Amino acid sequence: MGQGREWLRKHWIAVVGVLVVVYLLVPIAVILLFSFNDPSGRYNFSWSGFTLSHWSNAFGIEDLTEALLTSIKLALLATLISTVVGTMMALALVRHKFFGRRLSNFLIVIPMATPEVVIGAALLSFFLLLGTFSLGFETLLIAHVMFCISFVVIVVRSRLIGFDRRLEEAARDLGAGPFTTFRLVTFPLILPGVFGGAMLAFALSIDDFVISNFNSGTTVTFPLYIFGASRHGIPVEVYCIAMILFGVTVAAMGFVTWQQQRAEKLAQIRPDQEGASAPNVPAGAAA
Amino acid sequence: MSERLRAHTSRFVAGLALLALLVGVAACGGGGGIEGGGSTEVSTVEAESKPSGELTISNWPLYIDKQTIPDFEKATGVKVKYIEDINSPEEYFNKMQPLLAKGESGGRSLMMLPDYTVAKMHELGYVQALDKAAMPDVEKNLIKSLRHPSFDPERSYTVPWASGMTGLIVNKELAPEIHSICDLFESRYKGKVEFLNEARETVPLVMKCEGVDPETATEADWMKAIDKIKAAAQSGQIRRFTGNEYVQDLLNGNVAAVIGWSGDGVQLELEDPKLEWRMPTEGCMFWSENAVIPVGAPNPTAAEAFMNYVYDPQHQAQLTETINVVSPVEGVRPIIEKKGSDSANLKLIFPSSSFTKNCSSIPILKGEEEQNILQAFDSVLNE
Amino acid sequence: MLRRRVIPYFLLGPGTFWLVLFFVVPLYYMFKLSLETGVVGNLEFNWHWANYSNVFDLYHTQLVRSFVYSGVATLVALLLAYPLAYTVAFKAGRFRTLLLFAVVAPFFTTYLIRTLAWETILSDGSPVTSFLHAVGLAPSGHVLATSFAVIAGLTYNYIPFMFLPIYASLERLDVRLIEAANDLYCSAKQAFFRVTLPLSLPGIVAGTLLTFIPASGDYINAQFLGGAGNRMIGNVIQSLYLTQSDYPAAAALSFVLMAIILVIVLIYIRFAGTEALMGEDAR
């Protein structure tokens, strides 16, 4: 017993860490469980039997699948635009001193400090006033890009801050022009940060509810579908799709990491020559 | 180092290509199809006798069965786009209001909204008058109790889609003796009751329990009832105010009784025999969702044809069986009884006039009185 | 040389344009809206500052409550996320990537479904509720419809926002610094408080801000998990806007909320003494 306590004392942090992970996964386990539920009525709140029928029918509800596709489309486009724009902004903010830099920094941070309810409502009033954008996919895309930009900038910027400029100088010394340097040296090295920002943007977009609720017009995104359905009984298929999203994400992250590790093994470079390049972790967290 | 950078770069290029491909597919394919009202083709509004073209309908979720729309499309050749985007009348009204003020309807030709919302829309000039000659079945089959409502005495701009009753839903094991709204205030049920977050249904019910008739109540009566509710919320008597989220609480045994809707009552009784929808002793609130044709609606002809179609008792029967609300169409009950289908609890779907003798219709509030009452109730909700 | 000068503006251009057009301008219009009076469809602009005082009078309880809930949630999230980040950064070894996925992936299921799952887990008859009641965290016997449930929901949903910045700053920590501290006769505890914690401070500041700010304006948790008396300011703004159609009041309340958040954030950053969030280039 003394050994047990000794072990606990030395490893208590890890124990707490693992417990927190378990805590994070509990709702996921519940969602997984209820995706196999076979409710007799409309409501999926209590267990009434095991079935795979909802899994085989996961994409069978037309409105649900349409909403899901809308969300994915929206997230992809929003991620692309906000990542490109945000990376450019981060480069400008970190590397150049110019008039208005302080103000730009401020401008990036303010949207993150504004509650979503406020942004959603303000955008709605604005779109209605303007009248040029029809409430729907267009306005959703605009809104999503808007709130993603700040996050991308923050992520890429922190990656840039730790960047060893000497690598670029070395490339320049070896005769590379500024664009070539960017293409072959800078960009690949900040890629994990860019990728991290992109993943964050994608996650924010696909999960967004509040801002979308205000600005969606008649377009239904996946979270909006769930909200509407929650008032009348969420079909079990929704739970199945939530698990599929979860699974696909994990698989995607796993794939990317595996690729990175392979590339590193192939290159066989000593760690301290890497400067600020990607360590052995998925880019999603490498901020 | 250069090998590694090359590996990075080629991976990056491949990734970018893939992303571009995905985006290209996404942007090209189906970009128009998923958008809502704005992209629906607007056909010219002509006085045609035969319906044709396209029809966009806005309704509440789960307020239709699976067969009605395909059957209608087959019978008339009209292509229907059915959107379930009404989740709360006020929210919906707010979303549509700027468009309606400009004389547009966002492509929709039919909307199903409660009495008080359509009354407000009518006053603001947002709805069109109906061509009754185009809807003979509606004229013939509309049930008597809904023919002359106070807000549209000649049914000149509304056609009821579905009706329902707001009363009590009770867990017979936890609260067998609750039969009146007043019972919900008894301390032995503290923390075990839930009220609806709809001012126009909850407050009149409480007024009825105090002996006041909602249809002749003064603003002071409303405020008194709201104060009573407020006190109950503050003391912890009321667990929470809900839309139909009470369903989960009832099924999980978290509450003993709620103020709830008859449509949910039918479903819940099927799902859990411990639950029962009860007509309060002081009576229920009897309401309708009404179909209106908004101003600027494309293809009102098809809209009227659709309403006429669902007022045929045969077509209405399959609808009623699915959505379990009170049907506004005469002659449906025999069809359902003959089919012997599982549409249990016909009492809640075809309430007799003696069953609903004490029920009131939803009072229509206006102007400053409306604002004051809504604000007072909302501040209780947001306590 | 001119190209040099122009480059930053070129890079900054699209993003700034987007943010100004779709963030600053709408907020300006909302500000105008907050000074109007009247009913929907009939609003008049007349410098009606009384909207602000009215709204503050009516809803200061909910304002305070929101900040209390999100403050507690932020603190708890910090206490949970820090050991987690520490574990993943230093103690995970081979399992580091797996653990990282395990932390981030749950947040790729939808916010609403996770909250509804909690509604099921915390329902009155469930074992979790009984356990919580037994340890005294749920004195009234039920968890749902109490402030505990709302705070628990907030904490859960914002843990990744706390975790990721802390993890990022811990991960960049040079382990040799801790080794050096140990070589200089520091105990593990001292090494942590004198080396690790200060160096991870930027992550902590970023994490707390990224948690506290959105949590203050949240309304989903209060709506699904809370009961009467647990509503937050986000619920009020939503109902003012969407239910009561009182746009001027909604706008005024939104600005009040933003202003208070900004004040709290500025004080906090001053106090924490870092420019972590508005970071300048370190070199």
Side-chain angles (χ1 to χ4, degrees), chain C residues 20 23 30 58 72 110 135 190 211 232 244 259 267 271 273 281:
Chain C
V20 167
F23 179 72
M30 192 177 222
L58 284 170
V72 175
T110 328
V135 288
Q190 282 175 318
T211 304
M232 296 172 71
Q244 285 189 61
I267 296 179
F271 176 72
D281 190 332

Coordinates of all heavy atoms in Angstrom, one line a residue, chain C residues 20 23 30 58 72 110 135 190 211 232 244 259 267 271 273 281:
Chain C
V20 N -13.2 45.3 -41.2 CA -13.8 46.6 -41.1 C -15.2 46.6 -41.7 O -16.2 47.0 -41.0 CB -13.0 47.7 -41.8 CG1 -13.8 49.0 -42.0 CG2 -11.7 48.0 -41.1
F23 N -17.4 43.8 -39.5 CA -17.4 43.8 -38.1 C -17.5 45.3 -37.5 O -18.5 45.6 -36.8 CB -16.1 43.2 -37.5 CG -16.0 43.2 -36.0 CD1 -16.8 42.4 -35.3 CD2 -15.2 44.1 -35.4 CE1 -16.7 42.4 -33.9 CE2 -15.1 44.1 -34.0 CZ -15.9 43.2 -33.3
M30 N -25.1 49.1 -35.2 CA -25.8 48.7 -33.9 C -25.7 49.8 -32.9 O -26.7 49.9 -32.1 CB -25.0 47.4 -33.4 CG -25.8 46.8 -32.3 SD -25.0 45.3 -31.8 CE -26.4 44.3 -31.6
L58 N -32.5 47.3 -15.5 CA -33.3 46.1 -15.6 C -32.5 44.8 -15.5 O -33.0 43.8 -14.9 CB -34.1 46.0 -16.9 CG -35.3 46.9 -17.1 CD1 -35.7 46.9 -18.5 CD2 -36.4 46.4 -16.2
V72 N -16.1 31.6 -12.6 CA -15.9 30.3 -11.9 C -15.6 29.3 -13.0 O -14.7 28.5 -12.8 CB -17.2 29.9 -11.2 CG1 -17.1 28.5 -10.6 CG2 -17.5 30.9 -10.0
T110 N -21.0 18.3 -32.4 CA -21.6 19.6 -32.3 C -21.8 20.1 -30.9 O -22.2 19.3 -30.1 CB -22.9 19.7 -33.1 OG1 -22.8 18.8 -34.2 CG2 -23.2 21.0 -33.6
V135 N -21.8 13.7 -2.7 CA -20.6 14.5 -2.2 C -20.9 15.9 -1.9 O -20.1 16.7 -1.7 CB -19.5 14.4 -3.3 CG1 -18.8 13.1 -3.3 CG2 -20.0 14.8 -4.6
Q190 N 9.5 23.6 -6.4 CA 10.1 24.9 -6.7 C 10.4 25.1 -8.1 O 10.1 26.2 -8.7 CB 11.4 25.0 -5.9 CG 11.3 25.2 -4.4 CD 12.6 25.2 -3.8 OE1 13.4 24.3 -4.0 NE2 12.9 26.1 -2.9
T211 N -11.3 31.9 -22.8 CA -12.4 31.2 -22.1 C -13.4 32.2 -21.5 O -14.6 32.1 -21.7 CB -11.9 30.3 -21.0 OG1 -10.9 29.4 -21.5 CG2 -13.0 29.5 -20.3
M232 N -28.5 33.9 -18.2 CA -27.3 34.8 -18.4 C -27.7 35.9 -19.3 O -28.7 35.9 -19.9 CB -26.1 34.0 -18.9 CG -25.7 32.9 -17.9 SD -24.4 31.8 -18.6 CE -23.0 32.9 -18.7
Q244 N -38.8 39.8 -28.1 CA -39.5 41.0 -27.8 C -39.3 42.0 -29.0 O -40.0 43.0 -29.0 CB -38.9 41.7 -26.6 CG -39.3 41.0 -25.3 CD -38.9 41.9 -24.1 OE1 -39.3 43.0 -24.0 NE2 -38.1 41.3 -23.3
A259 N -18.5 46.5 -23.3 CA -17.7 47.5 -22.6 C -17.2 46.9 -21.3 O -16.0 47.1 -21.0 CB -18.6 48.8 -22.3
I267 N -7.9 45.4 -17.4 CA -7.4 45.3 -16.1 C -6.6 44.1 -15.9 O -5.5 44.1 -15.4 CB -8.5 45.3 -15.0 CG1 -9.3 46.7 -15.1 CG2 -8.0 45.1 -13.7 CD1 -10.4 46.8 -14.1
F271 N -2.7 43.6 -15.1 CA -2.3 42.9 -13.9 C -1.3 41.7 -14.2 O -0.4 41.5 -13.5 CB -3.6 42.4 -13.2 CG -3.3 41.5 -12.0 CD1 -2.9 42.1 -10.8 CD2 -3.6 40.2 -12.0 CE1 -2.6 41.3 -9.7 CE2 -3.4 39.4 -10.9 CZ -2.9 39.9 -9.8
G273 N 0.5 41.5 -16.7 CA 1.8 42.1 -17.1 C 2.4 41.6 -18.3 O 3.6 41.7 -18.6
D281 N 6.5 41.2 -31.9 CA 7.6 40.3 -32.3 C 8.6 40.3 -31.2 O 9.1 41.3 -30.8 CB 8.2 40.7 -33.6 CG 9.1 39.7 -34.2 OD1 9.7 38.9 -33.3 OD2 9.2 39.6 -35.4

